[in-house]
């Protein structure tokens, strides 16, 4: 089978080479399209491939239509909002993600942002410590679980709201379950977002929810920019002089510029999306993608399918 690894933002070379080796050893042909700058390059590259590995690359209906032989797309990572899953299903194409493979990297970055903001971006103003503070996790998937595991070292108190995760999973991490997202937002010194970008969550972090936050609360977003209502975020930042916001997925350019200029000690954005940018996360996600493709063609394994 012909497998295309198409990554606008490439995996680290060691990770890419390791997954290519897994695929080649199983008898597959591997082609690479890295650091491409125009979607026409992807449209051309997919025409004769049987399998596709991507990161946040947009796999639209147009791409799927051009990929006449395509049987499986694996997103090397957790969120698959970049893939038109419905269209893939219609075309009989399996879509998978690689859940959990980059979650520790995301968790460490969430703490990097928390620590940075706790020290007021190192602008000379006395900061605060994480020890003993309350951390609230909006959703409790793999990334949130990794955050919870690290939070124990900081002796933080933990809460989460996730109607899709059993309370017993939360208890394993000493996390108390909340009965609503509003309750969760009202409890945290820190609130960390781990929700996917789906129609129900887009712009769901709005003024109503933000106004539930405690005085001096910090909101951390390593999930997706689309879940934030940016106009409401601007209003809330203006109204609440002690509120802090940090994200790996910065808002649109204009909002980002305004926030950084107005509130230099209480806003933090990574220069580009960096959460999964560790050697380990790249290696784990890329290799899992390769192994999942091998298993799919070998035995029809679709354990990680997300478009059933
Ligand atoms: C994910 O959904 O796994 C993360 O957001 C990482 O995305 P990336 O592969 O585009 O860095």
């Amino acid at each position: 089978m012909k497998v295309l690894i198409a990554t606008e933002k490439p995996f680290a070379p060691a990770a890419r080479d390791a997954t290519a080796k897994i695929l080649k050893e199983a008898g597959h042909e591997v082609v690479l399209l890295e650091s491409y700058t125009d979607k026409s390059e992807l449209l051309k590259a997919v025409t004769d491939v049987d399998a596709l590995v991507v990161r946040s690359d947009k796999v639209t209906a147009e791409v799927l239509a051009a990929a006449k032989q395509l049987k499986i797309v694996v997103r090397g990572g957790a969120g698959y909002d970049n893939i038109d899953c419905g269209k893939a299903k219609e075309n009989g194409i399996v879509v998978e993600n690689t859940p959990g493979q980059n979650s520790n990297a995301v968790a460490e970055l969430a703490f990097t942002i928390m620590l940075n903001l706790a020290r007021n971006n190192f602008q000379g103003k006395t900061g605060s410590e994480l020890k003993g503070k309350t951390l609230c996790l909006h959703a409790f998937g793999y990334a949130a679980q990794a955050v919870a595991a690290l939070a124990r070292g900081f002796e933080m108190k933990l809460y989460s709201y996730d109607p899709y995760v059993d309370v017993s999973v939360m208890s394993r991490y000493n996390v108390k379950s909340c009965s609503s997202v509003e309750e969760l937002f009202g409890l945290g010194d820190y609130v960390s977002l781990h929700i996917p970008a789906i129609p129900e969550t887009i712009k769901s972090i709005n003024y109503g929810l933000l106004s539930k936050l405690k005085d001096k609360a910090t909101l951390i977003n390593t999930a997706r920019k689309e879940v934030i209502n940016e106009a409401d975020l601007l209003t809330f930042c203006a109204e609440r002089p002690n509120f802090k916001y940090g994200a790996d997925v910065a808002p649109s350019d204009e909002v980002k510029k305004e926030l950084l200029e107005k509130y230099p000690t209480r806003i933090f954005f990574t220069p580009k999306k960096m959460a999964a940018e560790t050697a380990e996360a790249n290696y784990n996600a890329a290799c899992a993608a390769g192994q999942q493709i091998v298993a799919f063609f070998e035995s029809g394994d679709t354990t990680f399918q997300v478009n059933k």
Side-chain angles (χ1 to χ4, degrees), residues 9 55-56 75-79 102 223-224 273 276-277:
K9 182 175 71 177
R55 292 187 66 178
S56 288
R75 195 280 194 239
N102 58 24
R224 288 290 181 269
K273 191 178 168 208
E277 290 314 323

Side-chain angles (χ1 to χ4, degrees), residues 192-208:
S192 188
L193 304 177
H194 298 286
I195 46 176
I198 51 174
E200 299 87 302
T201 62
I202 305 266
K203 293 195 177 165
S204 64
I205 310 304
N206 54 23
Y207 187 82

Side-chain angles (χ1 to χ4, degrees), residues 135-141 144 158-163 165 170 175-181 183-184 187 192 194:
L135 169 59
C136 290
L137 304 164
H138 188 4
F140 202 63
L158 293 164
Y159 290 89
S160 182
Y161 170 70
D162 191 330
V165 174
M170 293 187 191
V175 173
K176 290 195 180 114
S177 175
C178 290
S179 52
S180 71
V181 67
E183 183 193 357
L184 184 83
L187 287 170
S192 188
H194 298 286

Side-chain angles (χ1 to χ4, degrees), residues 9-25:
K9 182 175 71 177
F11 290 119
R16 176 206 58 211
D17 293 348
T19 196
K21 188 164 176 266
I22 290 168
L23 289 159
K24 284 179 191 163
E25 280 177 1

Side-chain angles (χ1 to χ4, degrees), residues 9 11 54-57 75-82 98 102-103 106 222-224 248-249 273-277 282 285:
K9 182 175 71 177
F11 290 119
V54 292
R55 292 187 66 178
S56 288
D57 307 72
R75 195 280 194 239
Y80 45 89
D81 45 311
N82 52 316
T98 61
N102 58 24
S103 51
V106 175
T222 54
R224 288 290 181 269
D248 180 44
V249 281
K273 191 178 168 208
M274 295 294 286
E277 290 314 323
N282 269 206

